[in-house]
Amino acid sequence: MSDKKPCKSPDNEVLSGESRREFLKKSTLLTAIALTPGVAVKAAEGQWDEKLAGVFEKMLLHVEVNGVKHSLMVEPRVTLLDLLREQLDLTGTKKGCDHGQCGACTVHVDGHRVNSCLTLGVMVNDKKITTIEGLAKGDQLHPMQEAFLKHDGFQCGYCTPGQIMSAVACIREGHANSEGEIREYMSGNICRCGAYPNIVNAIQEVKDGGQTV
Amino acid sequence: MKDSAINKEGLSRIDGRLKVTGAARYSAEYTPAGMVYGVLVGSTITKGSIRSIDTKAAEKAPGVLAVISHFNCPKIPGYQIASTEAGKPEPKGTYKLFYNNKILFNGQPIAVVVADTFERALFAATLVKAQYTSQAYQTSLKNNTASAFAAGENGESKRGTVAAWKTAPVKLEQEYVIPSEVHNPMELHSIIAHWDAEDKLTVWDKTQGVKDTQDGIANIFKIPKENIQVNSKFVGGAFGSALQVWPHEVAAIIAARVVKRPVKLMLGRADMFTSVGYRPHTWQKIGIGATEDGKLVGISHEAIGQTSTYEDFNEEPVSVSRSTYACPNVNTNYKLTALDIGSPTWMRGPGEATGAFALESALDELSYALNIDPIELRLKNYAETDPESGKPFSSKYLNEAYKMGADHIGWTDRSPKPASVTKDGWLIGYGMGGGMFGAYRDQATCRAVMIADGTLLLQTAVSDIGPGTGTAMVSIAAEIMDIPAGKIRFEMGDSSLPYAPSQGGSSITATVGSAVNDACKELKEKFSQLAGNTETPDYTKILKDHNLSKLEVTTASKGGDNMNKYAMYSWSVHFVKVCVHPTTGVVKVDKVVCVADSGHIVSPKTARSQIVGGAIGGIGMALMEEVIIDHRYGKLVNNNFADYHIPVNADIPQIEALFINKPDPYINPMGAKGMGEIALIGMAGAVANAVYNATGKRIRQLPITPDKLIGINQSAMVNGS
């Protein structure tokens, strides 16, 4: 090799467990100083054990999900998707790719549709989240849920929560004015069973029905 | 009183409300106490052996409970048999996880990391470092067809004279290639494994068959199958990918044993491309010849499909040429090439979809050579009896399906001259292609319980991967019992329930539907006997009169001799209208009509969706789906939805699904035949044929991406002017 510096493979660039923890400890400590009582800070300074580090690797998150206010300690690397599914047991929001490529994880953040797999939990501090579980009013389904049932807008049902959340937003955004427009603006939600025509029909019905979504 | 919903339109899905509210729980969505998370580490080389694995950093990472590889994996009893005879090579079979240091394909799991949270497991998995000794590998089918070997029983067959097509006055010979395609159900394959005791296991698992998964796990871990509880209440699609116990399932079960806690393991999307099978890349060659008036003289159909080095996966790509059309001389040959890639598996339509792409393309090519309409050519060679066995068909209305489809697509608008119709700057073309698949009835058992409040409970261990099995079963039961569908509860996806086979091979409605049918009839008869009359019984009154809290039957059901007397198939025909942009080569599917001849339609609403879904799968196969392997590294490079394209909403027009809806008199009491496979089989050929009609360019290598149509602008101008 002619270069003096050897090429670095991406693998070498991964922080080791220890250095990563050191980094997080230092950075979260700054946050911790701002957020937590002095006694905990003292404990942290005096005792760098794993358990305590675990606490300080977390950040405080205030978030309202489906009308319920939560105050949680979350690791900054936890996605909103995994937070909902693994910590709040709201499994209606689905994991399909973790890359924002399939739309199964679509939720509303302050009324806008987002891929929750591309959103860190800590990014939604003080925001209002609506998931599929929060769409119906008690036993009364949302018109979009009714329309999906009527038009059979699904088969296996796995992409369905994301499709429905996206469909509601699609109308709210003003992007459901024609069949073509609906198809275009619903193309971020993949359905492998192939329910697309039924999904389009369901959305059109709700749009044409003029109900508030 | 009958439920008004069971009319021509059919029932809405009985589990629909759970699915639209997010209340349906799939296999990764349970939380047994103390559950922890497993993440797999995949091999970064394609072939060779593992020298060492450094797990120290991973083990020290926060929250990590275990790192398991072949170095420390507890012995898996089911792996220890069979390889006993010294000097003989290991018998072929499914891949054995953490069995030895051999690397057989890129991405092969070499370790599983278990930690108390998903994030911690995922991070720790990146810290596992393996040292390998790499060997030369082969991942290209094209470069290795010389080493192909006969595909077992499906290898070779002949009827009449071999290569008779060569003697025909009009003939052609062409090669057709499909790439590997990946099922990619939206739900990632996942499992939660929990050892309740030393030899007692519960799993929540994505599977197309809880009983087969129970058997599979029992064979691997050598524990009594009664001790294994498999739950699979909701399955987020599978299309064939969940018909066997895969290594990730074994990994979770082992991990749960090692850490003595329930372990959840959900594959990532990239793993879905390497860990749970795919439709194998297959090369085919068809020689076909006919008389000048369009009577087939002979067909020769060869295929070479890829498999792995450790397992001979074979399917039926060439059988379509033996059974689809009346042709006196047919010879077929099917071989496999073993490559250093993971094993393929059944994918919707399986080999028949591969074969039908070639055969239906060849028929279309022949129709142009003969100057005969493609439908007319098929009718001239219409098989009135099964060409392969000579047996009568149990039912066949394919000729009606041709007509119905042609009427609905507007076939008369098709120009027999390719590249001759343009509209708004796009080339317009029509194509059609057909599919067929064996109609099977397996055996199944159903328990039917009438409860005092008038609720009918039906129980059988079937899974529903999406077609709406529960809805179809409730439709059957409501009809027989003459009660509203809302009074029927259907329980499934639980291995403790009575036997049902895996959902595959388009056989569940015929099989489990028969069991539901038979159980309901038996239960109704029991009520009639109690009441002493033959009229439709008042179930709740009879139970009350006899002071009973419930009345139940458990009924086993299977087909009789008719299966041997008749050739049983479902048929489909797909019609497609495409627009092709002459400059960019972009293909837009503008209109689709599919007609299914699959007997009586038990559940019209869900059946329609099943056909539409299969057609869309076929459009993906035709236009976009392709596994790309970088043969320099033996690595699959497009392992995500940005690079492996499947149809999205904008790719799909309205699709008309039509049914002949005439009962098959012999297959089962409902007269229903399967539909899952024929929904897709033949579709890719129909699209390719439409593209040819639009452009004059015959694409014989799927998918039909724009690069393959670049340059049509000029030829279209010449032909179209």
Side-chain angles (χ1 to χ4, degrees):
Chain A
M1 206 179 280
S2 59
D3 263 351
K4 281 179 190 167
K5 262 166 98 183
C7 280
K8 230 178 160 190
S9 84
D11 285 348
N12 295 335
E13 289 168 4
V14 172
L15 292 169
S16 76
E18 303 236 329
S19 61
R20 180 191 144 276
R21 248 175 296 156
E22 285 303 313
F23 169 77
L24 284 173
K25 276 170 194 166
K26 282 168 194 159
S27 64
T28 51
L29 187 60
L30 293 175
T31 318
I33 289 165
L35 294 175
T36 58
V39 59
V41 177
K42 272 180 196 157
E45 283 167 341
Q47 206 178 18
W48 288 101
D49 70 2
E50 194 54 63
K51 209 165 183 177
L52 202 56
V55 174
F56 282 105
E57 282 180 359
K58 292 181 176 174
M59 292 174 73
L60 184 62
L61 169 67
H62 297 290
V63 64
E64 187 180 315
V65 184
N66 300 332
V68 180
K69 290 194 168 113
H70 297 271
S71 293
L72 305 156
M73 293 299 287
V74 298
E75 282 190 276
R77 62 183 168 182
V78 174
T79 64
L80 176 58
L81 171 63
D82 287 323
L83 180 72
L84 291 169
R85 285 172 63 86
E86 304 299 335
Q87 296 186 37
L88 299 178
D89 197 32
L90 290 169
T91 55
T93 303
K94 302 303 181 193
K95 177 178 282 205
C97 73
D98 270 334
H99 285 60
Q101 294 171 341
C102 80
C105 66
T106 305
V107 299
H108 295 169
V109 177
D110 287 345
H112 299 283
R113 51 174 160 173
V114 302
N115 287 327
S116 62
C117 76
L118 293 186
T119 308
L120 294 172
V122 293
M123 291 161 67
V124 297
N125 196 37
D126 289 336
K127 294 187 190 296
K128 288 182 180 173
I129 312 294
T130 307
T131 71
I132 190 72
E133 291 95 339
L135 207 55
K137 290 197 177 95
D139 277 348
Q140 192 193 341
L141 295 180
H142 184 279
M144 193 61 75
Q145 291 171 315
E146 290 284 6
F148 267 64
L149 278 175
K150 180 179 167 191
H151 291 275
D152 208 29
F154 53 93
Q155 286 196 55
C156 78
Y158 196 79
C159 75
T160 313
Q163 299 279 2
I164 291 175
M165 297 312 286
S166 217
V168 170
C170 187
I171 293 180
R172 285 183 190 163
E173 292 160 9
H175 289 144
N177 298 307
S178 68
E179 218 180 293
E181 197 181 24
I182 292 171
R183 284 196 194 119
E184 205 62 38
Y185 279 89
M186 286 300 293
S187 283
N189 290 80
I190 298 177
C191 169
R192 189 56 159 161
C193 296
Y196 297 130
N198 297 354
I199 290 170
V200 170
N201 295 342
I203 297 171
Q204 268 201 313
E205 185 178 275
V206 176
K207 171 71 173 48
D208 295 346
Q211 298 125 298
T212 309
V213 295
Chain B
M1 193 191 75
K2 269 192 194 182
D3 192 321
S4 61
I6 308 182
N7 49 27
K8 270 188 166 171
E9 284 175 20
L11 280 180
S12 290
R13 285 171 199 271
I14 59 163
D15 50 5
R17 198 181 169 93
L18 294 175
K19 287 178 176 179
V20 301
T21 55
R25 284 195 186 252
Y26 297 78
S27 59
E29 296 170 356
Y30 292 84
T31 315
M35 185 178 77
V36 293
Y37 298 78
V39 169
L40 292 171
V41 180
S43 162
T44 56
I45 69 158
T46 298
K47 188 180 184 180
S49 54
I50 303 165
R51 282 207 309 275
S52 64
I53 300 182
D54 182 357
T55 59
K56 278 203 270 323
E59 280 162 358
K60 275 184 6 195
V64 170
L65 301 168
V67 181
I68 305 160
S69 70
H70 76 277
F71 286 110
N72 60 349
C73 182
K75 280 235 180 311
I76 298 175
Y79 288 175
Q80 308 307 319
I81 50 167
S83 59
T84 43
E85 278 192 71
K88 289 209 170 163
E90 183 104 347
K92 285 190 172 181
T94 49
Y95 165 70
K96 297 175 178 174
L97 181 88
F98 305 156
Y99 179 61
N100 57 26
N101 66 345
K102 296 278 180 288
I103 297 297
L104 305 171
F105 59 95
N106 205 303
Q108 172 186 322
I110 59 164
V112 61
V113 176
V114 188
D116 59 354
T117 71
F118 168 64
E119 291 77 15
R120 286 174 153 186
L122 190 63
F123 174 66
T126 65
L127 305 177
V128 175
K129 300 291 171 208
Q131 299 291 321
Y132 303 97
T133 302
S134 206
Q135 285 173 12
Y137 45 82
Q138 298 296 334
T139 53
S140 161
L141 177 65
K142 197 176 168 191
N143 295 344
N144 289 282
T145 49
S147 66
F149 53 93
E153 288 174 8
N154 294 333
E156 207 164 3
S157 143
K158 60 183 171 204
R159 179 166 80 232
T161 310
V162 170
W165 67 273
K166 288 181 179 169
T167 66
V170 181
K171 64 195 169 204
L172 59 95
E173 184 177 41
Q174 289 296 351
E175 294 180 18
Y176 304 89
V177 180
I178 68 147
S180 292
E181 276 184 83
V182 184
H183 308 70
N184 271 319
M186 293 318 297
E187 183 198 17
L188 301 162
H189 276 247
S190 11
I191 177 171
I192 299 169
H194 175 45
W195 288 91
D196 306 291
E198 185 61 25
D199 63 346
K200 212 162 170 291
L201 177 71
T202 299
V203 295
W204 291 263
D205 197 7
K206 181 184 179 81
T207 170
Q208 291 175 241
V210 288
K211 293 283 191 184
D212 280 349
T213 294
Q214 190 188 38
D215 281 344
I217 294 172
N219 281 334
I220 292 167
F221 288 92
K222 296 292 167 204
I223 52 175
K225 70 176 179 183
E226 311 78 65
N227 292 9
I228 304 166
Q229 172 63 35
V230 182
N231 302 310
S232 197
K233 296 273 186 208
F234 286 92
V235 183
F239 315 105
S241 65
L243 284 167
Q244 59 183 285
V245 177
W246 293 104
H248 72 272
E249 294 164 85
V250 178
I253 295 168
I254 290 193
R257 169 142 264 177
V258 170
V259 301
K260 298 186 166 53
R261 288 167 77 169
V263 171
K264 179 196 287 195
L265 196 157
M266 191 175 207
L267 291 183
R269 182 54 65 183
D271 300 325
M272 296 284 286
F273 287 79
T274 53
S275 309
V276 288
Y278 56 90
R279 188 196 303 285
H281 181 22
T282 303
W283 168 92
Q284 298 175 82
K285 188 196 262 183
I286 287 192
I288 189 165
T291 61
E292 269 156 16
D293 64 351
K295 273 280 189 197
L296 288 175
V297 172
I299 304 173
S300 167
H301 190 162
E302 292 172 68
I304 302 176
Q306 78 178 44
T307 187
S308 65
T309 54
Y310 53 89
E311 187 178 16
D312 293 346
F313 172 77
N314 67 71
E315 46 185 2
E316 301 231 16
V318 295
S319 66
V320 291
S321 287
R322 299 197 295 267
S323 325
T324 308
Y325 301 106
C327 178
N329 307 295
V330 181
N331 58 288
T332 64
N333 187 306
Y334 174 37
K335 290 179 175 174
L336 302 178
T337 290
L339 298 175
D340 298 305
I341 304 176
S343 285
T345 191
W346 317 105
M347 179 167 164
R348 193 173 192 177
E352 286 82 347
T354 304
F357 162 64
L359 180 65
E360 293 300 278
S361 294
L363 252 284
D364 199 65
E365 297 201 47
L366 189 64
S367 78
Y368 286 94
L370 290 161
N371 200 22
I372 294 176
D373 182 275
I375 302 174
E376 184 62 27
L377 178 62
R378 285 165 174 83
L379 287 171
K380 275 175 184 282
N381 296 286
Y382 194 76
E384 296 289 356
T385 55
D386 181 17
E388 186 73 346
S389 66
K391 288 178 191 173
F393 291 120
S394 57
S395 65
K396 180 180 182 182
Y397 304 101
L398 179 60
N399 46 4
E400 293 179 31
Y402 287 141
K403 188 173 179 322
M404 196 186 276
D407 288 348
H408 281 253
I409 195 81
W411 191 249
T412 49
D413 291 340
R414 169 188 178 269
S415 167
K417 192 180 167 203
S420 61
V421 181
T422 56
K423 196 183 172 218
D424 302 331
W426 292 73
L427 291 156
I428 308 295
Y430 292 82
M432 54 85 64
M436 65 184 292
F437 196 79
Y440 302 104
R441 177 181 172 187
D442 205 337
Q443 50 184 313
T445 301
C446 177
R447 184 183 299 130
V449 189
M450 183 61 79
I451 301 165
D453 68 356
T455 302
L456 176 68
L457 174 64
L458 299 171
Q459 294 179 314
T460 180
V462 71
S463 293
D464 179 9
I465 58 174
T469 301
T471 310
M473 297 306 117
V474 166
S475 303
I476 292 167
E479 191 85 26
I480 294 167
M481 301 299 283
D482 205 3
I483 57 173
K487 293 292 258 181
I488 303 172
R489 208 163 80 226
F490 186 74
E491 291 184 354
M492 60 174 180
D494 174 342
S495 62
S496 68
L497 298 177
Y499 177 82
S502 289
Q503 185 159 65
S506 301
S507 62
I508 286 300
T509 300
T511 302
V512 183
S514 296
V516 169
N517 174 89
D518 293 359
C520 287
K521 283 189 174 154
E522 196 181 325
L523 183 62
K524 198 174 177 183
E525 177 60 28
K526 226 169 159 174
F527 271 100
S528 294
Q529 283 173 4
L530 267 183
N533 63 49
T534 53
E535 284 168 33
T536 292
D538 182 340
Y539 305 113
T540 46
K541 183 173 182 298
I542 297 168
L543 288 175
K544 204 176 167 197
D545 290 350
H546 291 79
N547 206 17
L548 292 168
S549 63
K550 62 177 183 179
L551 197 58
E552 71 172 84
V553 296
T554 300
T555 310
S557 167
K558 62 176 179 181
D561 199 30
N562 282 341
M563 305 283 285
N564 302 320
K565 280 196 221 156
Y566 297 94
M568 297 182 176
Y569 292 97
S570 291
W571 281 271
S572 61
V573 56
H574 306 280
F575 288 85
V576 178
K577 180 187 173 195
V578 297
C579 308
V580 184
H581 197 274
T583 307
T584 62
V586 165
V587 178
K588 272 201 321 199
V589 178
D590 188 53
K591 196 174 174 186
V592 178
V593 176
C594 306
V595 191
D597 170 14
S598 54
H600 168 62
I601 304 303
V602 165
S603 176
K605 191 167 177 174
T606 56
R608 185 187 163 276
S609 294
Q610 193 175 11
I611 291 290
V612 169
I616 293 171
I619 291 171
M621 179 182 184
L623 296 181
M624 49 196 92
E625 295 189 41
E626 178 178 22
V627 161
I628 297 168
I629 289 170
D630 185 335
H631 298 300
R632 294 171 302 172
Y633 308 106
K635 191 174 168 64
L636 198 156
V637 292
N638 58 338
N639 57 5
N640 62 79
F641 285 144
D643 297 315
Y644 180 94
H645 294 174
I646 63 180
V648 298
N649 211 321
D651 298 315
I652 302 300
Q654 290 292 335
I655 293 177
E656 218 177 327
L658 305 168
F659 300 103
I660 297 296
N661 200 9
K662 290 185 181 173
D664 184 297
Y666 303 111
I667 186 166
N668 56 45
M670 299 82 62
K673 298 193 285 192
M675 198 184 287
E677 323 299 325
I678 57 159
L680 187 146
I681 301 170
M683 189 65 194
V687 174
N689 296 343
V691 168
Y692 177 76
N693 185 248
T695 65
K697 192 152 181 181
R698 178 67 63 180
I699 309 298
R700 303 185 184 88
Q701 180 152 9
L702 294 181
I704 306 170
T705 42
D707 53 298
K708 291 173 185 163
L709 293 166
I710 291 281
I712 53 167
N713 202 2
Q714 276 182 318
S715 59
M717 300 285 270
V718 174
N719 289 332
S721 59

